[in-house]
């Protein structure tokens, strides 16, 4: 049996950070296991082809179960399956975690995850070290010096003129020299991959974790010749994402006893919170026929974002993201004009990740319950009205044309129907295996799985509260902090 100090499951955004940081100590051995290939196709690196990039070779091909809040529609639910994970298929937008969101995490029981604790980790993600030495490796977003297009400048001006929007900005993108930078590119450059204490095994899928009593002793991985046991003498770190990690825990008998009973899996730890409280940001498109062409600097589709906060709300509940001409949603014609997506960044809806059956090759049942809570639809109705006011701004006169989606809807009722017909997912699953102090939180605040020794989860599933921006930078900061916690635990 192969044996390592640490076995990391999932070479996605969080897993690449962990592998890089933990293998800095030459005294420990680290194995990173990724189900997908070590490299994706060349198209994956072309920022202008984003919509086309969600291609079969590099994602899991999952869909949601029918969503009652969307009139029973099922949504394609891509998640990266390649070294780099979802950072290889995402929209490349990198926005920092809001300190007020971390207050919300602490209020949800995540003691020690306040803004002060996360700040140095977030700084390391961006290459800022301890003030004297730069942190390496790190991501390079925002170091491009690309200037905003006329469309982006006009939109930021229109948003700033309107009193309801804040944080209007041309945001950073994970694009370096005109190419997508995945987290694998950033954190696992050849110099890191050459470390003798780091092993990367791609195209290897973990079926379940291996338990001996209450200790996790390794993982069972599917290989062409059967299931292989790989040992972890210190810890197994699940970084398989907000769908993948709860799925592995459930398959290992760690989860709600009633659900495990339904699918015929023996219960190792009755943990009701595993796969519960799945959250996602609902996304509502607002599309205009072009007046004149709205382009972006990088060829990437979305340069500007802002948050919408009405006077009676304690914090923003909707983010606006710009869309420019030429964006090619997967399987659809090029985007006709300019527009926005309006995203519920503080959803009240809560969904689940469940197993279909005990077959490890079956797709999990993914239910983000998009717009399941009526207030999520109401905030989108209000957001469409607020966005139409922005479109009416003189700054945008050269660009605007007729509204195509949601089109002519204007009353509350018409707008809500349009929302339920046209809203979708912003592809931001999180919270399905949260840390906290509540009895049903599956993880302790050091991200260890309650009831099991030597097992942690480190990815988007651990997020216990609000994420008011696109979550990637937050996931990377979580992984940086987790690496610190794991290193400290070693003494
Ligand atoms: C289409 C899309 C667009 C997005 N756009 C943005 C954006 O522009 N900005 C932003 O901030 N966020 C964006 N996100 C979200 C962001 O990319 C994710 O929140 C983040 O990458 C999640 O990181 P993770 O480590 O939790 O999971 P992932 O990066 O998904 O990594 C999980 C990894 O585990 C592997 N894995 C899973 N199961 C197993 C198994 N059984 N065995 C072995 N390996 C396994 C997977 O193949 C994958 O590589 C987007 C996401 C998607 C899908």
């Amino acid at each position: 049996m192969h044996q390592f100090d640490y076995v990391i499951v999932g070479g996605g955004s969080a897993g690449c950070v962990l592998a890089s940081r933990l293998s800095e100590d030459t005294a420990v051995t680290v194995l990173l296991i990724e189900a997908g290939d070590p490299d994706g196709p060349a198209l994956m690196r072309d920022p202008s082809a984003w919509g086309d990039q969600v291609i079969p070779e590099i994602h899991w091909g999952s869909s949601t179960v029918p969503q009652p809040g969307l009139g029973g529609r099922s949504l394609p639910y891509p998640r990266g399956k390649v070294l780099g994970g979802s950072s290889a298929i995402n929209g490349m937008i990198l926005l920092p975690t809001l300190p007020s969101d971390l207050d919300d995490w602490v209020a949800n029981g995540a003691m020690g995850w306040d803004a002060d604790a996360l700040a140095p980790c977030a700084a390391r993600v961006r290459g800022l070290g301890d003030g004297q030495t730069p942190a390496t490796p790190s991501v390079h977003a925002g170091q491009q010096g690309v200037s905003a297009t006329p469309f982006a400048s006009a939109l930021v001006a229109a948003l700033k003129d309107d009193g309801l929007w804040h944080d209007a900005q041309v945001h950073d993108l994970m694009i370096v020299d005109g190419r997508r930078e995945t987290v694998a590119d950033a954190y696992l450059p050849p110099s890191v991959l050459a470390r003798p204490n780091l092993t990367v095994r791609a195209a290897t899928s973990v079926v379940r974790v291996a338990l001996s009593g209450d200790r996790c002793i390794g993982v069972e991985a599917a290989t062409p010749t059967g299931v292989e046991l790989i040992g972890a003498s210190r810890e197994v770190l699940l970084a398989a994402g907000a769908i993948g990690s709860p799925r592995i825990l459930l398959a290992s008998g760690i989860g709600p006893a009633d659900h495990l009973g339904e699918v015929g899996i023996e219960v190792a730890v009755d943990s009701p919170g595993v796969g519960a409280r799945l959250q996602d940001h609902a996304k509502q498109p607002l599309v205009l026929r072009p007046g004149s062409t709205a382009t972006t600097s990088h060829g990437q589709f979305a340069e500007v974002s802002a948050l919408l906060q009405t006077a009676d709300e304690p914090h923003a509940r909707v983010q606006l993201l710009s869309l420019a001409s030429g964006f090619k949603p997967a399987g659809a014609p090029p985007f006709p004009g300019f527009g926005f997506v309006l995203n519920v960044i503080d959803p009240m809806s809560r969904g689940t990740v469940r197993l279909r059956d005990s077959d490890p090759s079956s797709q999990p049942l993914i239910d983000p319950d998009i717009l399941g809570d009526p207030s999520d639809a109401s905030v989108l109705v209000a957001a469409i009205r607020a966005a139409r006011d922005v479109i009416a701004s003189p700054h945008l006169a050269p660009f605007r044309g007729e509204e195509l989606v949601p089109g002519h809807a204007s009353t509350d009722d018409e707008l809500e129907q349009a929302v339920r017909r046209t809203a979708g997912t912003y592809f931001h699953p999180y919270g399905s295996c949260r840390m906290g102090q509540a009895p049903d939180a599956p993880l302790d605040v050091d991200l260890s799985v309650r009831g099991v020794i030597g097992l942690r989860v480190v990815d988007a599933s651990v997020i216990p509260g609000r994420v008011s921006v696109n979550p990637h930078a937050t996931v990377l900061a979580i992984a940086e902090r987790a690496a610190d916690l794991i290193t400290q635990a070693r003494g």
Side-chain angles (χ1 to χ4, degrees):
M1 179 177 77
H2 289 105
Q3 181 89 15
F4 298 82
D5 289 311
Y6 296 103
V7 173
I8 303 165
V9 179
S13 300
C16 290
V17 174
L18 283 178
S20 187
R21 291 289 176 232
L22 293 179
S23 63
E24 282 172 0
D25 182 346
T26 53
V28 298
T29 53
V30 178
L31 171 66
L32 176 63
I33 302 178
E34 166 54 40
D37 285 339
D39 303 301
L43 187 65
M44 183 179 106
R45 312 218 171 250
D46 175 359
S48 69
W50 181 79
D52 292 338
Q53 277 179 37
V54 186
I55 47 178
E57 293 99 300
I58 55 167
H59 79 91
W60 285 82
S62 359
S63 305
T64 68
V65 300
Q67 298 292 283
L70 301 178
R73 284 181 289 136
S74 295
L75 302 171
Y77 215 64
R79 301 167 283 131
K81 186 181 180 186
V82 62
L83 197 62
S86 295
S87 78
I89 66 166
N90 74 10
M92 295 158 275
I93 295 157
L94 202 71
L95 276 160
T97 317
L98 299 187
S100 54
D101 284 353
L102 296 168
D103 294 343
D104 186 58
W105 295 18
V106 173
N108 278 294
M111 298 310 162
W113 286 82
D114 50 50
D116 286 346
L118 213 62
C121 307
R124 275 208 310 265
V125 170
R126 305 308 303 267
L128 307 169
D130 56 10
Q132 287 154 359
T133 44
T136 53
S138 63
V139 302
H140 300 92
Q143 298 168 19
Q144 301 293 296
V146 176
S147 57
T149 58
F151 170 63
S153 304
L155 178 54
V156 170
L159 288 161
K160 286 189 170 163
D161 273 3
D162 184 313
L164 293 180
W165 301 88
H166 61 93
D167 290 11
Q169 61 183 298
V170 177
H171 45 238
D172 288 341
L173 295 164
M174 284 188 65
I175 297 173
V176 176
D177 297 333
R179 285 157 55 89
R180 171 195 294 275
E181 179 184 60
T182 70
V183 182
D185 299 332
Y187 274 83
L188 299 176
S191 57
V192 172
L193 290 174
R195 289 175 185 160
N197 62 331
L198 173 62
T199 307
V200 178
R201 261 180 76 171
T204 303
S205 214
V206 166
V207 178
R208 59 181 76 83
V209 298
L211 300 172
S212 171
D214 62 358
R215 171 167 282 280
C216 180
I217 55 164
V219 298
E220 294 177 23
T223 71
T225 51
V227 172
E228 178 188 349
L229 178 63
I230 302 172
S233 48
R234 289 182 185 272
E235 295 191 41
V236 169
L237 308 165
L238 293 184
I243 309 301
S245 287
R247 178 194 182 184
I248 293 170
L249 288 172
L250 294 170
S252 313
I254 304 167
D258 51 353
H259 171 59
L260 296 175
E262 279 160 19
V263 290
I265 290 179
E266 194 181 331
V267 178
V269 179
D270 180 10
S271 184
V274 172
R277 294 172 63 104
L278 173 66
Q279 287 156 80
D280 192 3
H281 295 157
K283 176 183 76 183
Q284 172 61 44
L286 195 160
V287 181
L288 303 190
R289 196 187 298 285
S292 78
T293 307
T295 54
T296 63
S297 309
H298 296 86
Q300 190 268 8
F301 63 98
E303 282 184 333
V304 174
S305 54
L307 298 175
L308 172 66
Q309 183 172 1
T310 55
D312 54 347
E313 287 172 342
H315 53 263
R317 289 202 59 200
V318 169
Q319 182 209 47
L320 172 150
L321 182 77
S322 65
L323 298 177
S325 319
F327 167 50
K328 291 178 276 178
F335 193 72
F338 91 81
F340 308 136
V341 282
L342 302 163
N343 309 297
V344 183
I345 38 140
D346 180 27
M348 296 295 122
S349 308
R350 299 284 181 273
T352 52
V353 179
R354 293 287 175 247
L355 298 181
R356 196 175 293 273
D357 51 41
S358 60
D359 179 351
S361 63
S362 296
Q363 288 272 4
L365 298 169
I366 305 170
D367 181 7
D369 198 23
I370 304 266
L371 305 186
D373 186 296
S375 88
D376 292 350
S378 309
V379 297
L380 285 179
V381 168
I384 292 170
R385 292 215 168 90
R388 284 175 174 170
D389 289 346
V390 173
I391 291 165
S393 158
H395 294 289
L396 290 173
F399 302 100
R400 73 177 158 249
E402 178 200 1
E403 184 181 306
L404 301 175
V405 182
H408 297 295
S410 60
T411 66
D412 278 0
D413 204 36
E414 286 168 348
L415 282 168
E416 182 174 338
Q417 282 179 33
V419 162
R420 296 203 183 277
R421 229 179 16 252
T422 54
T425 164
Y426 204 14
F427 311 117
H428 295 166
Y430 63 96
S432 48
C433 193
R434 75 191 195 285
M435 65 169 123
Q437 293 173 324
D440 69 335
L443 307 182
D444 219 324
V445 293
D446 65 356
L447 308 182
S448 54
V449 175
R450 291 219 170 97
V452 184
I453 299 164
L455 178 61
R456 297 189 211 226
V457 180
V458 182
D459 56 33
S461 10
V462 312
I463 295 173
R466 217 164 50 228
V467 194
S468 299
V469 289
N470 313 58
H472 196 209
T474 301
V475 173
L476 299 180
I478 289 171
E480 285 276 8
R481 180 144 200 269
D484 288 349
L485 294 170
I486 294 160
T487 304
Q488 283 156 18
R490 204 162 60 235

